[in-house]
PDB file of all heavy atoms in Angstrom:
ATOM      1  N   VAL G  22       0.860  -1.213  -0.001  1.00 88.00           N
ATOM      2  CA  VAL G  22      -0.002   0.002   0.001  1.00 88.00           C
ATOM      3  C   VAL G  22       0.891   1.256  -0.006  1.00 88.00           C
ATOM      4  O   VAL G  22       2.101   1.153   0.190  1.00 88.00           O
ATOM      5  CB  VAL G  22      -0.944  -0.003   1.213  1.00 88.00           C
ATOM      6  CG1 VAL G  22      -1.919  -1.133   1.145  1.00 88.00           C
ATOM      7  CG2 VAL G  22      -0.137  -0.044   2.522  1.00 88.00           C
ATOM      8  N   PHE G  23       0.244   2.393  -0.192  1.00 88.00           N
ATOM      9  CA  PHE G  23       0.976   3.672  -0.218  1.00 88.00           C
ATOM     10  C   PHE G  23       1.537   3.976   1.182  1.00 88.00           C
ATOM     11  O   PHE G  23       0.795   3.994   2.139  1.00 88.00           O
ATOM     12  CB  PHE G  23       0.081   4.783  -0.668  1.00 88.00           C
ATOM     13  CG  PHE G  23       0.778   5.926  -1.311  1.00 88.00           C
ATOM     14  CD1 PHE G  23       0.663   6.176  -2.659  1.00 88.00           C
ATOM     15  CD2 PHE G  23       1.556   6.783  -0.560  1.00 88.00           C
ATOM     16  CE1 PHE G  23       1.344   7.246  -3.269  1.00 88.00           C
ATOM     17  CE2 PHE G  23       2.248   7.854  -1.140  1.00 88.00           C
ATOM     18  CZ  PHE G  23       2.114   8.081  -2.515  1.00 88.00           C
ATOM     19  N   ARG G  24       2.837   4.224   1.270  1.00 91.00           N
ATOM     20  CA  ARG G  24       3.457   4.545   2.560  1.00 91.00           C
ATOM     21  C   ARG G  24       4.264   5.803   2.444  1.00 91.00           C
ATOM     22  O   ARG G  24       4.849   6.121   1.417  1.00 91.00           O
ATOM     23  CB  ARG G  24       4.371   3.371   3.002  1.00 91.00           C
ATOM     24  CG  ARG G  24       3.609   2.081   3.252  1.00 91.00           C
ATOM     25  CD  ARG G  24       4.526   0.961   3.733  1.00 91.00           C
ATOM     26  NE  ARG G  24       3.814  -0.301   3.812  1.00 91.00           N
ATOM     27  CZ  ARG G  24       3.111  -0.686   4.859  1.00 91.00           C
ATOM     28  NH1 ARG G  24       3.055   0.113   5.939  1.00 91.00           N
ATOM     29  NH2 ARG G  24       2.473  -1.835   4.882  1.00 91.00           N
ATOM     30  N   LEU G  25       4.287   6.550   3.560  1.00 92.00           N
ATOM     31  CA  LEU G  25       5.046   7.789   3.627  1.00 92.00           C
ATOM     32  C   LEU G  25       6.324   7.558   4.456  1.00 92.00           C
ATOM     33  O   LEU G  25       6.269   7.000   5.563  1.00 92.00           O
ATOM     34  CB  LEU G  25       4.198   8.877   4.324  1.00 92.00           C
ATOM     35  CG  LEU G  25       4.934  10.236   4.572  1.00 92.00           C
ATOM     36  CD1 LEU G  25       5.119  10.978   3.254  1.00 92.00           C
ATOM     37  CD2 LEU G  25       4.096  11.091   5.532  1.00 92.00           C
ATOM     38  N   PRO G  26       7.499   7.954   3.924  1.00 93.00           N
ATOM     39  CA  PRO G  26       8.709   7.867   4.752  1.00 93.00           C
ATOM     40  C   PRO G  26       8.645   8.905   5.865  1.00 93.00           C
ATOM     41  O   PRO G  26       8.481  10.116   5.567  1.00 93.00           O
ATOM     42  CB  PRO G  26       9.830   8.192   3.743  1.00 93.00           C
ATOM     43  CG  PRO G  26       9.193   8.915   2.630  1.00 93.00           C
ATOM     44  CD  PRO G  26       7.768   8.429   2.555  1.00 93.00           C
ATOM     45  N   VAL G  27       8.716   8.495   7.119  1.00 94.00           N
ATOM     46  CA  VAL G  27       8.566   9.440   8.252  1.00 94.00           C
ATOM     47  C   VAL G  27       9.827   9.471   9.081  1.00 94.00           C
ATOM     48  O   VAL G  27      10.469   8.464   9.342  1.00 94.00           O
ATOM     49  CB  VAL G  27       7.337   9.075   9.126  1.00 94.00           C
ATOM     50  CG1 VAL G  27       6.029   9.328   8.387  1.00 94.00           C
ATOM     51  CG2 VAL G  27       7.391   7.628   9.590  1.00 94.00           C
ATOM     52  N   SER G  28      10.171  10.681   9.535  1.00 94.00           N
ATOM     53  CA  SER G  28      11.215  10.913  10.517  1.00 94.00           C
ATOM     54  C   SER G  28      11.035  12.327  10.988  1.00 94.00           C
ATOM     55  O   SER G  28      10.256  13.104  10.435  1.00 94.00           O
ATOM     56  CB  SER G  28      12.599  10.701   9.948  1.00 94.00           C
ATOM     57  OG  SER G  28      12.996  11.813   9.161  1.00 94.00           O
ATOM     58  N   LYS G  29      11.792  12.733  12.027  1.00 93.00           N
ATOM     59  CA  LYS G  29      11.724  14.110  12.519  1.00 93.00           C
ATOM     60  C   LYS G  29      12.230  15.106  11.490  1.00 93.00           C
ATOM     61  O   LYS G  29      11.996  16.284  11.604  1.00 93.00           O
ATOM     62  CB  LYS G  29      12.470  14.237  13.828  1.00 93.00           C
ATOM     63  CG  LYS G  29      11.771  13.517  14.984  1.00 93.00           C
ATOM     64  CD  LYS G  29      12.566  13.569  16.274  1.00 93.00           C
ATOM     65  CE  LYS G  29      12.456  14.947  16.906  1.00 93.00           C
ATOM     66  NZ  LYS G  29      13.053  14.920  18.279  1.00 93.00           N
ATOM     67  N   ASP G  30      12.958  14.579  10.476  1.00 93.00           N
ATOM     68  CA  ASP G  30      13.438  15.489   9.401  1.00 93.00           C
ATOM     69  C   ASP G  30      12.317  16.068   8.564  1.00 93.00           C
ATOM     70  O   ASP G  30      12.547  16.991   7.761  1.00 93.00           O
ATOM     71  CB  ASP G  30      14.365  14.688   8.418  1.00 93.00           C
ATOM     72  CG  ASP G  30      15.666  14.264   9.140  1.00 93.00           C
ATOM     73  OD1 ASP G  30      15.994  14.850  10.164  1.00 93.00           O
ATOM     74  OD2 ASP G  30      16.323  13.325   8.656  1.00 93.00           O
ATOM     75  N   LEU G  31      11.069  15.584   8.749  1.00 94.00           N
ATOM     76  CA  LEU G  31       9.922  16.174   8.044  1.00 94.00           C
ATOM     77  C   LEU G  31       9.737  17.624   8.438  1.00 94.00           C
ATOM     78  O   LEU G  31       9.295  18.471   7.629  1.00 94.00           O
ATOM     79  CB  LEU G  31       8.646  15.393   8.367  1.00 94.00           C
ATOM     80  CG  LEU G  31       8.450  14.045   7.668  1.00 94.00           C
ATOM     81  CD1 LEU G  31       7.332  13.274   8.355  1.00 94.00           C
ATOM     82  CD2 LEU G  31       8.163  14.243   6.194  1.00 94.00           C
ATOM     83  N   ILE G  32      10.056  17.964   9.713  1.00 94.00           N
ATOM     84  CA  ILE G  32       9.830  19.333  10.212  1.00 94.00           C
ATOM     85  C   ILE G  32      10.717  20.314   9.437  1.00 94.00           C
ATOM     86  O   ILE G  32      11.901  20.114   9.326  1.00 94.00           O
ATOM     87  CB  ILE G  32      10.097  19.390  11.730  1.00 94.00           C
ATOM     88  CG1 ILE G  32       9.122  18.463  12.463  1.00 94.00           C
ATOM     89  CG2 ILE G  32       9.927  20.835  12.239  1.00 94.00           C
ATOM     90  CD1 ILE G  32       9.430  18.329  13.952  1.00 94.00           C
ATOM     91  N   GLY G  33      10.064  21.371   8.949  1.00 93.00           N
ATOM     92  CA  GLY G  33      10.774  22.371   8.187  1.00 93.00           C
ATOM     93  C   GLY G  33      10.812  22.117   6.671  1.00 93.00           C
ATOM     94  O   GLY G  33      11.415  22.881   5.917  1.00 93.00           O
ATOM     95  N   ARG G  34      10.133  21.030   6.243  1.00 94.00           N
ATOM     96  CA  ARG G  34      10.194  20.670   4.806  1.00 94.00           C
ATOM     97  C   ARG G  34       8.858  21.026   4.102  1.00 94.00           C
ATOM     98  O   ARG G  34       7.811  21.085   4.715  1.00 94.00           O
ATOM     99  CB  ARG G  34      10.462  19.165   4.643  1.00 94.00           C
ATOM    100  CG  ARG G  34      11.799  18.726   5.161  1.00 94.00           C
ATOM    101  CD  ARG G  34      12.960  19.347   4.424  1.00 94.00           C
ATOM    102  NE  ARG G  34      12.914  19.109   2.996  1.00 94.00           N
ATOM    103  CZ  ARG G  34      13.421  18.021   2.401  1.00 94.00           C
ATOM    104  NH1 ARG G  34      14.028  17.079   3.117  1.00 94.00           N
ATOM    105  NH2 ARG G  34      13.363  17.873   1.071  1.00 94.00           N
ATOM    106  N   ILE G  35       8.972  21.251   2.780  1.00 94.00           N
ATOM    107  CA  ILE G  35       7.814  21.452   1.911  1.00 94.00           C
ATOM    108  C   ILE G  35       7.778  20.288   0.942  1.00 94.00           C
ATOM    109  O   ILE G  35       8.730  20.064   0.217  1.00 94.00           O
ATOM    110  CB  ILE G  35       7.920  22.778   1.132  1.00 94.00           C
ATOM    111  CG1 ILE G  35       8.060  23.972   2.124  1.00 94.00           C
ATOM    112  CG2 ILE G  35       6.688  22.978   0.269  1.00 94.00           C
ATOM    113  CD1 ILE G  35       8.318  25.300   1.442  1.00 94.00           C
ATOM    114  N   LEU G  36       6.674  19.528   0.978  1.00 94.00           N
ATOM    115  CA  LEU G  36       6.533  18.335   0.132  1.00 94.00           C
ATOM    116  C   LEU G  36       5.385  18.528  -0.816  1.00 94.00           C
ATOM    117  O   LEU G  36       4.442  19.290  -0.547  1.00 94.00           O
ATOM    118  CB  LEU G  36       6.285  17.121   1.000  1.00 94.00           C
ATOM    119  CG  LEU G  36       7.345  16.855   2.119  1.00 94.00           C
ATOM    120  CD1 LEU G  36       6.879  15.702   2.991  1.00 94.00           C
ATOM    121  CD2 LEU G  36       8.707  16.530   1.511  1.00 94.00           C
ATOM    122  N   ALA G  37       5.426  17.850  -1.951  1.00 92.00           N
ATOM    123  CA  ALA G  37       4.330  17.885  -2.898  1.00 92.00           C
ATOM    124  C   ALA G  37       3.160  17.049  -2.389  1.00 92.00           C
ATOM    125  O   ALA G  37       3.301  16.314  -1.374  1.00 92.00           O
ATOM    126  CB  ALA G  37       4.824  17.398  -4.283  1.00 92.00           C
ATOM    127  N   GLY G  38       2.048  17.101  -3.117  1.00 90.00           N
ATOM    128  CA  GLY G  38       0.868  16.350  -2.709  1.00 90.00           C
ATOM    129  C   GLY G  38       1.047  14.866  -2.744  1.00 90.00           C
ATOM    130  O   GLY G  38       0.225  14.120  -2.186  1.00 90.00           O
ATOM    131  N   ASN G  39       2.118  14.387  -3.399  1.00 88.00           N
ATOM    132  CA  ASN G  39       2.373  12.938  -3.429  1.00 88.00           C
ATOM    133  C   ASN G  39       3.489  12.537  -2.461  1.00 88.00           C
ATOM    134  O   ASN G  39       3.945  11.385  -2.477  1.00 88.00           O
ATOM    135  CB  ASN G  39       2.730  12.488  -4.857  1.00 88.00           C
ATOM    136  CG  ASN G  39       3.944  13.201  -5.413  1.00 88.00           C
ATOM    137  OD1 ASN G  39       4.613  13.957  -4.670  1.00 88.00           O
ATOM    138  ND2 ASN G  39       4.235  13.034  -6.679  1.00 88.00           N
ATOM    139  N   GLY G  40       3.951  13.477  -1.636  1.00 89.00           N
ATOM    140  CA  GLY G  40       4.955  13.168  -0.621  1.00 89.00           C
ATOM    141  C   GLY G  40       6.392  13.394  -1.069  1.00 89.00           C
ATOM    142  O   GLY G  40       7.321  13.246  -0.282  1.00 89.00           O
ATOM    143  N   LYS G  41       6.596  13.752  -2.350  1.00 90.00           N
ATOM    144  CA  LYS G  41       7.972  13.992  -2.846  1.00 90.00           C
ATOM    145  C   LYS G  41       8.379  15.450  -2.473  1.00 90.00           C
ATOM    146  O   LYS G  41       7.544  16.334  -2.415  1.00 90.00           O
ATOM    147  CB  LYS G  41       8.027  13.828  -4.348  1.00 90.00           C
ATOM    148  CG  LYS G  41       7.654  12.447  -4.837  1.00 90.00           C
ATOM    149  CD  LYS G  41       8.776  11.458  -4.563  1.00 90.00           C
ATOM    150  CE  LYS G  41       8.543  10.124  -5.281  1.00 90.00           C
ATOM    151  NZ  LYS G  41       7.442   9.351  -4.738  1.00 90.00           N
ATOM    152  N   PRO G  42       9.681  15.695  -2.221  1.00 92.00           N
ATOM    153  CA  PRO G  42      10.132  17.052  -1.849  1.00 92.00           C
ATOM    154  C   PRO G  42       9.771  18.086  -2.948  1.00 92.00           C
ATOM    155  O   PRO G  42       9.955  17.821  -4.128  1.00 92.00           O
ATOM    156  CB  PRO G  42      11.637  16.901  -1.690  1.00 92.00           C
ATOM    157  CG  PRO G  42      11.854  15.458  -1.358  1.00 92.00           C
ATOM    158  CD  PRO G  42      10.808  14.744  -2.148  1.00 92.00           C
ATOM    159  N   ARG G  43       9.226  19.246  -2.500  1.00 91.00           N
ATOM    160  CA  ARG G  43       8.921  20.315  -3.425  1.00 91.00           C
ATOM    161  C   ARG G  43       9.902  21.485  -3.214  1.00 91.00           C
ATOM    162  O   ARG G  43       9.939  22.428  -4.024  1.00 91.00           O
ATOM    163  CB  ARG G  43       7.467  20.800  -3.206  1.00 91.00           C
ATOM    164  CG  ARG G  43       6.986  21.815  -4.214  1.00 91.00           C
ATOM    165  CD  ARG G  43       5.563  22.290  -3.866  1.00 91.00           C
ATOM    166  NE  ARG G  43       4.558  21.414  -4.365  1.00 91.00           N
ATOM    167  CZ  ARG G  43       4.059  21.432  -5.598  1.00 91.00           C
ATOM    168  NH1 ARG G  43       4.523  22.304  -6.469  1.00 91.00           N
ATOM    169  NH2 ARG G  43       3.118  20.625  -5.980  1.00 91.00           N
ATOM    170  N   ASP G  44      10.667  21.461  -2.130  1.00 90.00           N
ATOM    171  CA  ASP G  44      11.496  22.612  -1.766  1.00 90.00           C
ATOM    172  C   ASP G  44      12.917  22.509  -2.309  1.00 90.00           C
ATOM    173  O   ASP G  44      13.790  23.334  -1.984  1.00 90.00           O
ATOM    174  CB  ASP G  44      11.549  22.767  -0.223  1.00 90.00           C
ATOM    175  CG  ASP G  44      11.993  21.444   0.467  1.00 90.00           C
ATOM    176  OD1 ASP G  44      12.413  20.508  -0.234  1.00 90.00           O
ATOM    177  OD2 ASP G  44      11.869  21.403   1.704  1.00 90.00           O
ATOM    178  N   GLY G  45      13.185  21.491  -3.158  1.00 88.00           N
ATOM    179  CA  GLY G  45      14.526  21.371  -3.734  1.00 88.00           C
ATOM    180  C   GLY G  45      15.519  20.663  -2.815  1.00 88.00           C
ATOM    181  O   GLY G  45      16.664  20.470  -3.150  1.00 88.00           O
ATOM    182  N   GLY G  46      15.025  20.245  -1.629  1.00 89.00           N
ATOM    183  CA  GLY G  46      15.884  19.557  -0.679  1.00 89.00           C
ATOM    184  C   GLY G  46      15.996  18.085  -0.962  1.00 89.00           C
ATOM    185  O   GLY G  46      15.339  17.569  -1.904  1.00 89.00           O
ATOM    186  N   PRO G  47      16.774  17.366  -0.197  1.00 91.00           N
ATOM    187  CA  PRO G  47      16.943  15.908  -0.414  1.00 91.00           C
ATOM    188  C   PRO G  47      15.710  15.143  -0.012  1.00 91.00           C
ATOM    189  O   PRO G  47      14.819  15.636   0.678  1.00 91.00           O
ATOM    190  CB  PRO G  47      18.145  15.546   0.490  1.00 91.00           C
ATOM    191  CG  PRO G  47      18.075  16.579   1.589  1.00 91.00           C
ATOM    192  CD  PRO G  47      17.581  17.845   0.960  1.00 91.00           C
ATOM    193  N   ASP G  48      15.644  13.906  -0.441  1.00 91.00           N
ATOM    194  CA  ASP G  48      14.547  13.024   0.000  1.00 91.00           C
ATOM    195  C   ASP G  48      14.642  12.819   1.489  1.00 91.00           C
ATOM    196  O   ASP G  48      15.730  12.909   2.086  1.00 91.00           O
ATOM    197  CB  ASP G  48      14.669  11.656  -0.714  1.00 91.00           C
ATOM    198  CG  ASP G  48      14.273  11.728  -2.170  1.00 91.00           C
ATOM    199  OD1 ASP G  48      13.652  12.739  -2.566  1.00 91.00           O
ATOM    200  OD2 ASP G  48      14.611  10.794  -2.933  1.00 91.00           O
ATOM    201  N   ILE G  49      13.490  12.588   2.123  1.00 91.00           N
ATOM    202  CA  ILE G  49      13.439  12.305   3.553  1.00 91.00           C
ATOM    203  C   ILE G  49      14.141  10.985   3.836  1.00 91.00           C
ATOM    204  O   ILE G  49      13.850   9.958   3.174  1.00 91.00           O
ATOM    205  CB  ILE G  49      11.986  12.244   4.041  1.00 91.00           C
ATOM    206  CG1 ILE G  49      11.242  13.542   3.732  1.00 91.00           C
ATOM    207  CG2 ILE G  49      11.934  11.945   5.547  1.00 91.00           C
ATOM    208  CD1 ILE G  49      11.733  14.770   4.407  1.00 91.00           C
ATOM    209  N   VAL G  50      15.088  10.994   4.790  1.00 91.00           N
ATOM    210  CA  VAL G  50      15.708   9.742   5.231  1.00 91.00           C
ATOM    211  C   VAL G  50      14.784   9.133   6.268  1.00 91.00           C
ATOM    212  O   VAL G  50      14.611   9.653   7.369  1.00 91.00           O
ATOM    213  CB  VAL G  50      17.104  10.014   5.843  1.00 91.00           C
ATOM    214  CG1 VAL G  50      17.710   8.716   6.320  1.00 91.00           C
ATOM    215  CG2 VAL G  50      18.006  10.676   4.797  1.00 91.00           C
ATOM    216  N   PRO G  51      14.129   8.031   5.934  1.00 92.00           N
ATOM    217  CA  PRO G  51      13.030   7.570   6.816  1.00 92.00           C
ATOM    218  C   PRO G  51      13.529   6.805   8.051  1.00 92.00           C
ATOM    219  O   PRO G  51      14.530   6.063   7.997  1.00 92.00           O
ATOM    220  CB  PRO G  51      12.246   6.627   5.906  1.00 92.00           C
ATOM    221  CG  PRO G  51      13.245   6.121   4.903  1.00 92.00           C
ATOM    222  CD  PRO G  51      14.248   7.216   4.720  1.00 92.00           C
TER     223      PRO G  51
END
């Protein structure tokens, strides 16, 4: 099923509606 990579690194990030980074930053290290 659809899963979101989660970690405290999410804080401060801007992600697209599909969970991919929109802010030009690296992928979330889950």
Side-chain angles (χ1 to χ4, degrees):
V22 294
F23 205 109
R24 296 181 186 274
L25 175 72
V27 291
S28 77
K29 290 176 75 171
D30 293 341
L31 284 166
I32 299 174
R34 295 298 303 273
I35 303 173
L36 306 173
N39 58 8
K41 300 284 191 291
R43 187 184 276 276
D44 53 10
D48 288 345
I49 303 296
V50 178

